[in-house]
Amino acid sequence: MSLDLTTLTPPAVIEPLDFERILAEIKSDLLERYPEAADTLALESEPLTKLIETFAYRELLYRARVNDAARAHLLAFAIGGDLDHLAALFGVVRMDGEDDDRLRLRLQLRIAALAGNGTAQHYEYHALSASGNVRAARATQLMPGSVHVVLWLIDATQNTAELVRDVLCDEARLMLGVIVSVGVARPRTIAVRARVWRAPTALPGLLDLLPTRLADALAQRPLGGVVARSWVVAALHAAGVAAVEFMADDAPPAATVLADDEYPMLGAVELIDGGVMG
């Protein structure tokens, strides 16, 4: 399992930006050097006031650029070409059509895999790198000397498992004395039946968009684990949703426990419009 980068505290190197604070600091510094300008700075129409505001705005832009440069060197924030260069430090290259989130995950796994060929991350990294059809992978040890890798495939009709098995069993990647097997994960459907209240600012057709939003959120979860009912509530709370009430105890249940070879998939969905709240 890779570290959830969204749980990290905000980095101190990235400075919160506040134009009014910067402007006040510049005015204070000027008045210390030139007290006679107090009456002039009190007037918004004075050229000196406009000049200071311009200077404060340009400093704000400069600090924002410094923040962007700092983010470019942090795995949690780097995107595009900046992320490609971070990945290159560990010999990881973006695959065709691979988005930033998937590349970031593979890079995390690659770093963790440097501990040795026997780590779970080693097998998971190479499984993800073997094919873009692998959404997620989980490596487990069924018994000493045996590793089983489960694949969550985007398109289950492709013969991806055999390709991944060949990659993992290559002499350059296989740890001596280890037997590797590869399997395909099974879907575990989660039904949802709920009443949804809309905020006064909700866009038309909001309820029609929620099933897709929920399905996309489930697709980002890892293999196995637990899908709590509270997580489903959070996933349904898109902009414009005021409240959610489930209509049955089992749609979804309080907790859906997934096996290591199972992934969550949205099942039957029934969303009842509760009207406008607030």
Side-chain angles (χ1 to χ4, degrees):
M1 297 293 291
S2 59
L3 174 66
D4 183 358
L5 298 176
T6 63
T7 62
L8 298 177
T9 56
V13 70
I14 298 178
E15 175 191 7
L17 300 179
D18 186 338
F19 173 78
E20 294 300 332
R21 179 176 60 82
I22 295 173
L23 180 61
E25 290 174 353
I26 294 174
K27 284 184 177 180
S28 176
D29 182 59
L30 177 62
L31 290 175
E32 286 184 9
R33 303 168 187 268
Y34 185 32
E36 295 83 357
D39 292 339
T40 302
L41 293 180
L43 301 174
E44 288 292 330
S45 60
E46 281 291 332
L48 181 58
T49 301
K50 298 300 182 184
L51 182 62
I52 289 178
E53 290 175 349
T54 300
F55 183 78
Y57 177 67
R58 292 184 65 83
E59 181 169 335
L60 180 75
L61 294 179
Y62 175 76
R63 295 188 185 191
R65 181 65 186 89
V66 172
N67 279 352
D68 290 342
R71 290 189 183 94
H73 290 81
L74 300 175
L75 181 57
F77 300 97
I79 59 175
D82 294 327
L83 181 58
D84 289 335
H85 280 271
L86 282 180
L89 293 173
F90 298 91
V92 179
V93 178
R94 187 187 297 268
M95 302 169 66
D96 290 341
E98 187 172 37
D99 60 23
D100 287 341
D101 288 338
R102 192 176 188 276
L103 175 58
R104 188 176 289 108
L105 172 61
R106 286 203 302 124
L107 178 53
Q108 285 182 269
L109 292 173
R110 174 58 177 161
I111 294 171
L114 293 176
N117 283 3
T119 64
Q121 292 87 350
H122 166 82
Y123 296 101
E124 291 167 4
Y125 165 73
H126 285 293
L128 283 168
S129 301
S131 171
N133 190 40
V134 180
R135 186 193 302 277
R138 169 169 286 190
T140 58
Q141 188 175 44
L142 302 179
M143 63 185 69
S146 174
V147 173
H148 184 62
V149 180
V150 177
L151 308 177
W152 180 357
L153 302 181
I154 298 172
D155 182 358
T157 64
Q158 296 186 26
N159 191 20
T160 305
E162 183 175 345
L163 171 63
V164 172
R165 185 183 300 108
D166 291 343
V167 169
L168 293 178
C169 292
D170 186 272
E171 290 183 359
R173 305 177 185 89
L174 183 63
M175 189 176 182
L176 293 178
V178 174
I179 299 173
V180 176
S181 59
V182 177
V184 177
R186 301 168 291 138
R188 176 76 173 275
T189 58
I190 298 178
V192 175
R193 185 168 182 260
R195 178 174 285 111
V196 178
W197 282 269
R198 294 172 285 114
T201 56
L203 296 175
L206 172 63
L207 267 65
D208 295 333
L209 302 176
L210 293 181
T212 300
R213 172 187 171 88
L214 185 53
D216 290 344
L218 286 171
Q220 298 303 315
R221 291 185 60 89
L223 283 163
V226 179
V227 179
R229 174 182 283 201
S230 58
W231 182 91
V232 177
V233 173
L236 285 173
H237 265 277
V241 173
V244 175
E245 177 189 33
F246 292 111
M247 309 300 296
D249 292 337
D250 59 348
T256 302
V257 181
L258 306 178
D260 287 341
D261 64 345
E262 290 183 328
Y263 61 87
M265 185 174 71
L266 188 62
V269 178
E270 181 183 0
L271 299 179
I272 302 169
D273 190 352
V276 176
M277 175 182 290

